[in-house]
Amino acid sequence: MTVNDLKHKKLVAWIEEIKALCEPDDVVVADGSKEQYDALINECVDSGLAIRLNQEKKPGCVLFHSDPSDVARVEKRTFIASEKEEDAGPTNNWIDPVELKSTLKGLYKGCMHGRTMYVIPFSMGPLGSPISKIGVEITDSAYVVCNMMIMTRVGVKVLDLLGEDGYYVPCLHSVGKPLENGETDGGKWPCAPMEHKYISQFPETREIWSYGSGYGGNALLGKKCMALRIASVLARDEGWLAEHMLILKITNPEGKSKYVTGAFPSACGKTNLAMLIPTIPGWKVETIGDDIAWMKPGKDGRLYAINPEAGFFGVAPGTSKSSNYNALAAASKNTIFTNVALTEDKDVWWEGIGYDAPGKLIDWNGNEWIQDKNNKEQKPAAHPNSRFTAPANQCPCIAPEWEDPQGVPISAILFGGRRPSTIPLVHMARNWNHGVFLGSIVGSEVTAATLDVKAGTIRRDPFAMLPFCGYNMGDYFQHWIDMGKDDQEQKNLPKIFYVNWFRKKDGKFVWPGYGDNSRVLKWIFECCDGVAKTVDTPIGIMPTIDAIDRPEGVTEEDMKELLTVDKAGWLKEVEDIRTNHYPKFGKHLPKELAAMLDTLEEALRK
Ligand code: SAT
Ligand code: MN
């Protein structure tokens, strides 16, 4: 398909403008066909950028190894270029949009020399859903095109929906590595040096300009850039919520189902929770989405959620038959692996895959790697943020209604993070505003999903949106408060919970997590029906000690540890919020949240 086939005048004009700026060798429109996907993958394999995996063990799968500097999102190089700095708020990097565009135009000038420019029309959300949005990404990376074809709905059908004058979010991307005078990549992942990487969002004009990185959230612009940063701005203006949340369906033994969303920072197990296999008999969990939820109020006052994505961009390390059977099955064919290790028979391997390395490997850096379990210092064979890009419809537990254009009605919203102490296994907010308070104070140990914050330290990550909110986070809190103004008691709005699967004692996890999290989901299910065993505490509503069935290996003592309010710990938490967290938002902090903090402290001191 070529630009001549396009009917949308504004789109054609934009393509011509970018073509004149970036000066590619040619322009190709992504039509969404399997033929085009296969041809692009073949090109990547032929040029040495990708390795075709063992087609008996992993049919339709390939492996890419990125440049060692281009393995995760780069938060320091991510910018919200609003007209006023205040509108980007205290948690985002800001550059004046005029200045940033001028810098970027300098970088984009001629940046596609020697490359093909691809135009990717894509829909975030089921085609034609009233909640979905259309974007068009221009990129010079075939890797990006193929990943977008898995992660979003791409091609002719989207162009049909767009018609001659439909609205789309323009998303411009280049790896930032022009090829001069017949030069080739020579099988090396192209990208620009760190100081030239820019992941830029322009919230007023709803544009995305990304330069210099080919990786995940930096380059697949439908995901974090559009479905979270730009969508959060649209959601504020249009009265809905664009959130960093999984969506799951849970069914009890009587066949009654509820839908739950959950916000957890990157690499905290959203994919595992969305696909869990319950350890309690008779219960069933199915998946709607594992990373992003768009929720809109319906006429009945309930929130209806869609998963704007069509695939999973999941963390590979730690994914095994026992930790997440469904994710492994989803990624068993037609999957793109990035930065995992390669076995001698061209299969994939990573740390925590559930078995030892079957012989010599090629690690994610392309070097020979032999497992040495006695060497605690051995560098991992797969990068800790290595990923699989797998079509959602290959997941054995995908819910039949996962593409329902109307979305699914949400009964409960979970917040959580990795917290080795203080935060109990689960507690429920007393009302909507209290739930917003819980979302606003989420903190988590940092993981490998971001490159420029030290892994292992605890940082506040409100609503798990710290790197993804496209405007002032204080105003975002206010938007959440506003969404509940007519339904404080949550007659129709979801109940809100704070969970923590990551409590540690003597360096070991107290709660087994994974499938056993279904026991907590069961209590949450019962809370939504008003039949759970609960106790009122200074921090909110908690399960009684016997309300949650104990998994094997968890003693009553452990349960007490998990479900007792650690008053001293919480007072420290309050102190930290009061001195380090909330003051950042200044006058943008909703008064309701400041009041919640006072109420919490009073209750703890009683
Ligand atoms: O690289 S991504 O942003 O897509 C993954 C993540 O950090 O959640
Ligand atoms: Mn994520």
Side-chain angles (χ1 to χ4, degrees), residues 26-44:
D26 49 12
V27 181
V28 167
V29 178
D31 60 14
S33 67
K34 182 164 183 330
E35 291 72 37
Q36 196 179 39
Y37 178 89
D38 289 345
L40 287 172
I41 290 283
N42 283 343
E43 262 176 45
C44 292

Side-chain angles (χ1 to χ4, degrees), residues 122-134 151-154 157-158 161 247 288 292 294 305-310 400-408:
F122 64 94
S123 172
M124 297 312 290
L127 291 166
S129 155
I131 313 178
S132 297
K133 301 270 181 206
I134 289 176
M151 293 305 296
T152 75
R153 289 124 177 126
V154 166
K157 286 191 189 133
V158 179
L161 273 173
I247 313 169
I288 307 278
I292 300 176
W294 284 357
I306 61 161
N307 169 13
E309 302 191 279
E401 65 275 48
W402 80 280
E403 295 191 278
D404 186 339
Q406 298 311 314
V408 294

Side-chain angles (χ1 to χ4, degrees), residues 394-451:
Q394 290 186 177
C395 181
C397 64
I398 198 84
E401 65 275 48
W402 80 280
E403 295 191 278
D404 186 339
Q406 298 311 314
V408 294
I410 302 302
S411 298
I413 295 174
L414 318 183
F415 293 117
R418 291 176 183 266
R419 292 296 303 264
S421 65
T422 314
I423 311 296
L425 182 61
V426 59
H427 64 294
M428 177 171 71
R430 294 179 206 291
N431 53 40
W432 181 263
N433 283 356
H434 186 214
V436 177
F437 171 75
L438 295 183
S440 79
I441 66 169
V442 166
S444 188
E445 270 186 311
V446 172
T447 66
T450 172
L451 206 61

Side-chain angles (χ1 to χ4, degrees), residues 174-245:
S174 170
V175 294
K177 179 89 179 56
L179 298 167
E180 305 298 351
N181 309 323
E183 185 194 352
T184 63
D185 285 323
K188 262 188 78 206
W189 173 279
C191 62
M194 193 55 84
E195 67 275 15
H196 286 170
K197 292 193 210 296
Y198 286 89
I199 320 302
S200 343
Q201 285 66 208
F202 300 89
E204 281 96 2
T205 50
R206 278 123 213 223
E207 293 169 284
I208 298 161
W209 288 19
S210 166
Y211 186 89
S213 167
Y215 194 85
N218 302 329
L220 313 177
L221 302 186
K223 197 175 180 54
K224 309 297 188 182
C225 301
M226 176 168 155
L228 290 174
R229 297 196 192 99
I230 294 296
S232 62
V233 173
L234 299 173
R236 174 200 63 192
D237 293 349
E238 298 170 4
W240 52 283
L241 296 165
E243 300 299 327
H244 191 208
M245 291 180 179

Side-chain angles (χ1 to χ4, degrees), residues 118 126 138 148 213 237 286 313 325 376 383 408 530 593:
Y118 302 96
I138 290 182
M148 285 291 286
S213 167
D237 293 349
E286 289 159 283
F313 187 66
Y325 166 85
K376 292 273 172 281
H383 187 276
V408 294
L593 297 188

Side-chain angles (χ1 to χ4, degrees), residues 128 309 321 484 563 593 599:
E309 302 191 279
K321 269 209 173 111
L563 292 177
L593 297 188
T599 312

